[in-house]
PDB file of all heavy atoms in Angstrom:
ATOM      1  N   LEU E 125      59.256  14.809 -44.772  1.00 84.00           N
ATOM      2  CA  LEU E 125      59.447  13.460 -44.231  1.00 84.00           C
ATOM      3  C   LEU E 125      60.911  13.342 -43.825  1.00 84.00           C
ATOM      4  O   LEU E 125      61.804  13.592 -44.630  1.00 84.00           O
ATOM      5  CB  LEU E 125      59.133  12.412 -45.299  1.00 84.00           C
ATOM      6  CG  LEU E 125      57.738  12.490 -45.907  1.00 84.00           C
ATOM      7  CD1 LEU E 125      57.630  11.529 -47.078  1.00 84.00           C
ATOM      8  CD2 LEU E 125      56.677  12.212 -44.871  1.00 84.00           C
ATOM      9  N   HIS E 126      61.151  12.971 -42.574  1.00 88.00           N
ATOM     10  CA  HIS E 126      62.514  12.877 -42.052  1.00 88.00           C
ATOM     11  C   HIS E 126      62.827  11.415 -41.754  1.00 88.00           C
ATOM     12  O   HIS E 126      62.204  10.806 -40.908  1.00 88.00           O
ATOM     13  CB  HIS E 126      62.629  13.723 -40.783  1.00 88.00           C
ATOM     14  CG  HIS E 126      64.018  13.852 -40.267  1.00 88.00           C
ATOM     15  ND1 HIS E 126      64.317  14.651 -39.198  1.00 88.00           N
ATOM     16  CD2 HIS E 126      65.194  13.307 -40.657  1.00 88.00           C
ATOM     17  CE1 HIS E 126      65.613  14.590 -38.946  1.00 88.00           C
ATOM     18  NE2 HIS E 126      66.156  13.765 -39.829  1.00 88.00           N
ATOM     19  N   PHE E 127      63.797  10.880 -42.464  1.00 85.00           N
ATOM     20  CA  PHE E 127      64.217   9.504 -42.279  1.00 85.00           C
ATOM     21  C   PHE E 127      65.303   9.441 -41.204  1.00 85.00           C
ATOM     22  O   PHE E 127      66.426   8.997 -41.455  1.00 85.00           O
ATOM     23  CB  PHE E 127      64.704   8.910 -43.604  1.00 85.00           C
ATOM     24  CG  PHE E 127      63.594   8.668 -44.586  1.00 85.00           C
ATOM     25  CD1 PHE E 127      63.093   9.704 -45.352  1.00 85.00           C
ATOM     26  CD2 PHE E 127      63.030   7.420 -44.721  1.00 85.00           C
ATOM     27  CE1 PHE E 127      62.055   9.499 -46.250  1.00 85.00           C
ATOM     28  CE2 PHE E 127      61.990   7.191 -45.617  1.00 85.00           C
ATOM     29  CZ  PHE E 127      61.504   8.238 -46.387  1.00 85.00           C
ATOM     30  N   ALA E 128      64.966   9.928 -39.994  1.00 85.00           N
ATOM     31  CA  ALA E 128      65.910   9.905 -38.872  1.00 85.00           C
ATOM     32  C   ALA E 128      66.106   8.449 -38.444  1.00 85.00           C
ATOM     33  O   ALA E 128      65.191   7.647 -38.520  1.00 85.00           O
ATOM     34  CB  ALA E 128      65.358  10.728 -37.714  1.00 85.00           C
ATOM     35  N   GLY E 129      67.286   8.121 -38.000  1.00 79.00           N
ATOM     36  CA  GLY E 129      67.579   6.746 -37.610  1.00 79.00           C
ATOM     37  C   GLY E 129      68.315   6.025 -38.726  1.00 79.00           C
ATOM     38  O   GLY E 129      68.913   6.641 -39.605  1.00 79.00           O
ATOM     39  N   SER E 130      68.219   4.715 -38.718  1.00 77.00           N
ATOM     40  CA  SER E 130      69.031   3.922 -39.650  1.00 77.00           C
ATOM     41  C   SER E 130      68.412   3.742 -41.034  1.00 77.00           C
ATOM     42  O   SER E 130      69.116   3.510 -42.002  1.00 77.00           O
ATOM     43  CB  SER E 130      69.324   2.551 -39.042  1.00 77.00           C
ATOM     44  OG  SER E 130      68.115   1.880 -38.761  1.00 77.00           O
ATOM     45  N   ASN E 131      67.083   3.828 -41.175  1.00 72.00           N
ATOM     46  CA  ASN E 131      66.456   3.669 -42.492  1.00 72.00           C
ATOM     47  C   ASN E 131      66.497   4.985 -43.256  1.00 72.00           C
ATOM     48  O   ASN E 131      65.935   5.982 -42.828  1.00 72.00           O
ATOM     49  CB  ASN E 131      65.004   3.213 -42.351  1.00 72.00           C
ATOM     50  CG  ASN E 131      64.897   1.769 -41.947  1.00 72.00           C
ATOM     51  OD1 ASN E 131      65.745   0.964 -42.291  1.00 72.00           O
ATOM     52  ND2 ASN E 131      63.870   1.436 -41.199  1.00 72.00           N
ATOM     53  N   LYS E 132      67.179   4.962 -44.385  1.00 74.00           N
ATOM     54  CA  LYS E 132      67.320   6.152 -45.230  1.00 74.00           C
ATOM     55  C   LYS E 132      66.739   5.869 -46.610  1.00 74.00           C
ATOM     56  O   LYS E 132      66.737   4.733 -47.072  1.00 74.00           O
ATOM     57  CB  LYS E 132      68.805   6.533 -45.382  1.00 74.00           C
ATOM     58  CG  LYS E 132      69.538   6.742 -44.069  1.00 74.00           C
ATOM     59  CD  LYS E 132      69.013   7.942 -43.329  1.00 74.00           C
ATOM     60  CE  LYS E 132      69.822   8.181 -42.073  1.00 74.00           C
ATOM     61  NZ  LYS E 132      69.184   9.070 -41.141  1.00 74.00           N
ATOM     62  N   PRO E 133      66.279   6.914 -47.309  1.00 66.00           N
ATOM     63  CA  PRO E 133      65.715   6.700 -48.638  1.00 66.00           C
ATOM     64  C   PRO E 133      66.693   6.092 -49.637  1.00 66.00           C
ATOM     65  O   PRO E 133      66.277   5.527 -50.635  1.00 66.00           O
ATOM     66  CB  PRO E 133      65.317   8.117 -49.085  1.00 66.00           C
ATOM     67  CG  PRO E 133      65.213   8.907 -47.851  1.00 66.00           C
ATOM     68  CD  PRO E 133      66.174   8.294 -46.878  1.00 66.00           C
ATOM     69  N   TRP E 134      67.965   6.179 -49.390  1.00 69.00           N
ATOM     70  CA  TRP E 134      68.952   5.672 -50.345  1.00 69.00           C
ATOM     71  C   TRP E 134      69.497   4.297 -49.955  1.00 69.00           C
ATOM     72  O   TRP E 134      70.374   3.777 -50.602  1.00 69.00           O
ATOM     73  CB  TRP E 134      70.108   6.668 -50.496  1.00 69.00           C
ATOM     74  CG  TRP E 134      70.748   7.048 -49.188  1.00 69.00           C
ATOM     75  CD1 TRP E 134      71.729   6.358 -48.530  1.00 69.00           C
ATOM     76  CD2 TRP E 134      70.452   8.184 -48.387  1.00 69.00           C
ATOM     77  NE1 TRP E 134      72.056   7.003 -47.359  1.00 69.00           N
ATOM     78  CE2 TRP E 134      71.285   8.139 -47.253  1.00 69.00           C
ATOM     79  CE3 TRP E 134      69.564   9.244 -48.515  1.00 69.00           C
ATOM     80  CZ2 TRP E 134      71.262   9.105 -46.256  1.00 69.00           C
ATOM     81  CZ3 TRP E 134      69.542  10.201 -47.521  1.00 69.00           C
ATOM     82  CH2 TRP E 134      70.377  10.131 -46.414  1.00 69.00           C
ATOM     83  N   HIS E 135      68.966   3.667 -48.911  1.00 66.00           N
ATOM     84  CA  HIS E 135      69.401   2.325 -48.516  1.00 66.00           C
ATOM     85  C   HIS E 135      68.614   1.253 -49.254  1.00 66.00           C
ATOM     86  O   HIS E 135      67.496   1.481 -49.703  1.00 66.00           O
ATOM     87  CB  HIS E 135      69.216   2.126 -47.015  1.00 66.00           C
ATOM     88  CG  HIS E 135      70.212   2.863 -46.195  1.00 66.00           C
ATOM     89  ND1 HIS E 135      70.113   2.966 -44.849  1.00 66.00           N
ATOM     90  CD2 HIS E 135      71.333   3.554 -46.513  1.00 66.00           C
ATOM     91  CE1 HIS E 135      71.107   3.670 -44.359  1.00 66.00           C
ATOM     92  NE2 HIS E 135      71.863   4.038 -45.374  1.00 66.00           N
ATOM     93  N   ASP E 136      69.192   0.056 -49.325  1.00 54.00           N
ATOM     94  CA  ASP E 136      68.526  -1.065 -49.987  1.00 54.00           C
ATOM     95  C   ASP E 136      67.374  -1.629 -49.166  1.00 54.00           C
ATOM     96  O   ASP E 136      66.512  -2.304 -49.691  1.00 54.00           O
ATOM     97  CB  ASP E 136      69.522  -2.197 -50.258  1.00 54.00           C
ATOM     98  CG  ASP E 136      70.506  -1.826 -51.344  1.00 54.00           C
ATOM     99  OD1 ASP E 136      70.228  -0.914 -52.128  1.00 54.00           O
ATOM    100  OD2 ASP E 136      71.558  -2.468 -51.398  1.00 54.00           O
TER     101      ASP E 136
END
Side-chain angles (χ1 to χ4, degrees):
L125 303 172
H126 188 175
F127 289 81
S130 59
N131 286 329
K132 305 294 184 195
W134 54 84
H135 287 171
D136 289 340

